[in-house]
Amino acid sequence: MKKIASKMTLSTQIFISLIGGMLLGVIFFYFVPSGFIKDDLLVNGAFYLFGTGFIRAMQMLVVPLVFCSLICGTMSIGDTNTLGKVGIKTIGFYLITTAIAISIALSIGELINPGFGLDMESIKMSTATAAQSTSVVDTFLNIVPKNPIGSLAEGNMLQIIFFAILIGIILAKLGDSVRNVANGFNQWNQIMMSMTLMVMKFAPIGVFCLVAKTFSEIGFDGFLPMIKYMLGVLFALAVQCFIVYMIMLKIFAKKSPIKFLKKFFPVMGFAFSTATSNATIPLSIETLSKKMGVSKKISSFTIPLGATINMDGTAIMQGVAVVFAAQAFGIDLSAMDYITVIFTATMASIGTAGVPGVGLITLSMVFASVGLPVEAIGIIMGIDRILDMTRTAVNITGDAVCTIIVAEQNGNLKSDVYNDMTLIDQSAA
Ligand code: ASP
């Protein structure tokens, strides 16, 4: 049994746990009468213990992971000083496209209402308090921490983000004189990434218990919301990729979207199958250069930067997940909460590493910023792999579109190469 499990990838194991947990939960709900074994020993015993244990382990990662990776992400932006105008323009595009992505996701979420019908109120373990209504001025003032150590201890995400960005900018500015501290943060970042992988190894057990507990309390009512959530994310990803990016390409670079899609498709396929933006960097740079005439002077800077800080697809998943969780837990989000989500998810995009599954961890930070309970993450984790693959393809497409726009506007794009469709079959790498 162990041998079979070790041969399966983690995502397959998580997916099987999800299905197994759902089946067991549904059987419990419809066919097993209440009693000591079902209620005390299993549902509120083992399932609660391992489900909550897993969620707590994930919560443990959030603050240190986000803090370190945001500092490292900002440090890499800080380096862009050397590139001046191109750097500022690229970062501007990256931030704007992410904010657009998350807004689309929130709107589509509100349209399809993925969380209605999934009453998770009863399985809530952490305290969920929708952010208290404060004035707009106070909300902005609250971003500045009075005591950053206190913010870290309390897990106040906006304050942590603010402090981390400042540290990142200053580290980049001071350069060599603070190399040890910068290296230290990079190493902490690696430690937290390894710890994330370690915790994720227990995801199959955690997901099984969380899902089994939820479904044994709500029966079939849980299926529709999950399917709606999945379709909502896929739809929002398609809108971002095929409408927003293509309009931007046409307006800001005056380039044919069809030619772009035909030539860039293999890179999207590669990102889809590996679910990691980082691994796609070389292929993306080569494709942009050989098939679309983008100077490597630009792409060798914008593509790795994008793979580190620009995650529009991830932001989309997080937007729909916010609506899903708020509805499932019956929490009303105010207009200010939505603005907070747009801001935090844009920052989360900087803090998300371009490797599989990290978007789910930084999702806890987005949830925490508006007081949503993280239990919902355990439920959507089971169907995340396919969404991770799709959003990674969108993540790197966003980087490529921004790169083409910046290159075109700076005179670093050869239009004859871009328009030459005979290059489409040429291998890029
Ligand atoms: N897999 C994504 C990427 O590499 C990150 C994530 O959303 O988990 O771009």
Side-chain angles (χ1 to χ4, degrees):
M1 188 71 189
K2 217 177 152 197
K3 246 188 181 166
I4 300 178
S6 66
K7 270 193 190 152
M8 265 189 253
T9 61
L10 184 64
S11 352
T12 317
Q13 291 176 31
I14 297 178
F15 187 69
I16 291 175
S17 310
L18 170 84
I19 303 291
M22 277 177 169
L23 284 178
L24 189 75
V26 169
I27 292 172
F28 269 24
F29 183 78
Y30 292 104
F31 305 109
V32 183
S34 293
F36 176 72
I37 297 198
K38 179 185 153 185
D39 296 327
D40 300 321
L41 219 57
L42 292 174
V43 177
N44 296 314
F47 295 169
Y48 175 69
L49 177 71
F50 293 114
T52 320
F54 174 63
I55 290 288
R56 285 185 70 110
M58 271 190 43
Q59 284 172 313
M60 165 183 84
L61 300 170
V62 180
V63 169
L65 181 78
V66 168
F67 186 61
C68 297
S69 63
L70 209 53
I71 290 178
C72 297
T74 321
M75 267 197 286
S76 61
I77 303 177
D79 290 341
T80 61
N81 278 344
T82 41
L83 271 147
K85 242 172 74 188
V86 170
I88 307 264
K89 202 181 254 179
T90 309
I91 294 163
F93 264 117
Y94 283 161
L95 293 180
I96 291 168
T97 49
T98 310
I100 295 176
I102 171 97
S103 311
I104 290 175
L106 289 172
S107 317
I108 290 179
E110 286 296 335
L111 209 71
I112 57 166
N113 296 321
F116 281 162
L118 182 69
D119 183 8
M120 306 239 310
E121 201 78 58
S122 54
I123 66 155
K124 191 164 64 196
M125 296 167 244
S126 58
T127 38
T129 40
Q132 285 153 5
S133 52
T134 35
S135 73
V136 178
V137 180
D138 280 339
T139 308
F140 283 112
L141 266 180
N142 275 340
I143 297 176
V144 185
K146 279 198 234 163
N147 169 3
I149 308 294
S151 319
L152 286 166
E154 284 161 19
N156 186 324
M157 281 306 163
L158 291 179
Q159 297 183 352
I160 294 174
I161 291 169
F162 183 84
F163 189 56
I165 290 178
L166 280 186
I167 296 182
I169 293 174
I170 291 169
L171 283 178
K173 225 179 160 157
L174 296 181
D176 255 5
S177 59
V178 288
R179 211 185 30 224
N180 287 345
V181 180
N183 285 345
F185 277 118
N186 275 322
Q187 285 165 356
W188 267 107
N189 202 18
Q190 280 172 23
I191 293 174
M192 292 318 299
M193 286 303 296
S194 310
M195 203 182 287
T196 305
L197 293 180
M198 202 184 261
V199 170
M200 288 306 280
K201 288 220 168 85
F202 294 94
I205 302 173
V207 166
F208 179 84
C209 292
L210 283 166
V211 174
K213 184 169 179 345
T214 309
F215 279 75
S216 64
E217 280 158 358
I218 57 177
F220 274 123
D221 288 353
F223 282 102
L224 191 62
M226 274 176 62
I227 290 173
K228 269 181 156 179
Y229 161 77
M230 199 165 163
L231 293 179
V233 175
L234 291 175
F235 182 56
L237 287 173
V239 171
Q240 178 79 4
C241 191
F242 299 114
I243 300 182
V244 176
Y245 290 156
M246 296 310 118
I247 291 178
M248 284 179 67
L249 204 56
K250 196 80 205 155
I251 293 182
F252 296 114
K254 310 215 165 24
K255 289 283 167 281
S256 153
I258 304 289
K259 285 182 183 155
F260 170 81
L261 286 174
K262 280 190 175 160
K263 291 184 176 185
F264 201 67
F265 192 70
V267 190
M268 291 162 87
F270 184 78
F272 179 81
S273 47
T274 57
T276 135
S277 301
N278 285 357
T280 318
I281 293 173
L283 184 61
S284 201
I285 293 178
E286 285 305 310
T287 304
L288 284 168
S289 149
K290 287 195 177 144
K291 295 186 182 178
M292 295 188 231
V294 174
S295 156
K296 280 194 184 169
K297 213 172 78 189
I298 299 285
S299 62
S300 61
F301 157 70
T302 56
I303 293 294
L305 180 68
T308 317
I309 68 161
N310 186 40
M311 307 273 175
D312 299 347
T314 304
I316 284 178
M317 174 276 285
Q318 297 181 337
V320 182
V322 161
V323 180
F324 173 81
Q327 292 174 344
F329 286 100
I331 295 171
D332 277 332
L333 296 178
S334 65
M336 207 55 224
D337 289 337
Y338 282 112
I339 294 174
T340 307
V341 168
I342 294 176
F343 177 75
T344 348
T346 307
M347 293 303 124
S349 156
I350 301 180
T352 304
V355 291
V358 179
L360 274 188
I361 305 284
T362 47
L363 176 61
S364 332
M365 140 183 171
V366 180
F367 276 15
S369 71
V370 286
L372 290 173
V374 288
E375 280 75 13
I377 300 179
I379 306 290
I380 54 184
M381 188 176 276
I383 46 167
D384 191 63
R385 180 63 183 193
I386 184 82
L387 297 180
D388 193 5
M389 294 161 75
T390 322
R391 69 178 178 253
T392 306
V394 175
N395 286 345
I396 56 109
T397 306
D399 303 341
V401 168
C402 287
T403 300
I404 291 176
I405 293 172
V406 171
E408 167 68 22
Q409 295 188 348
N410 283 278
N412 293 102
L413 191 147
K414 293 186 192 127
S415 289
D416 49 332
V417 179
Y418 187 97
N419 292 326
D420 185 351
M421 290 310 276
T422 57
L423 297 171
I424 193 166
D425 294 324
Q426 187 182 310
S427 132

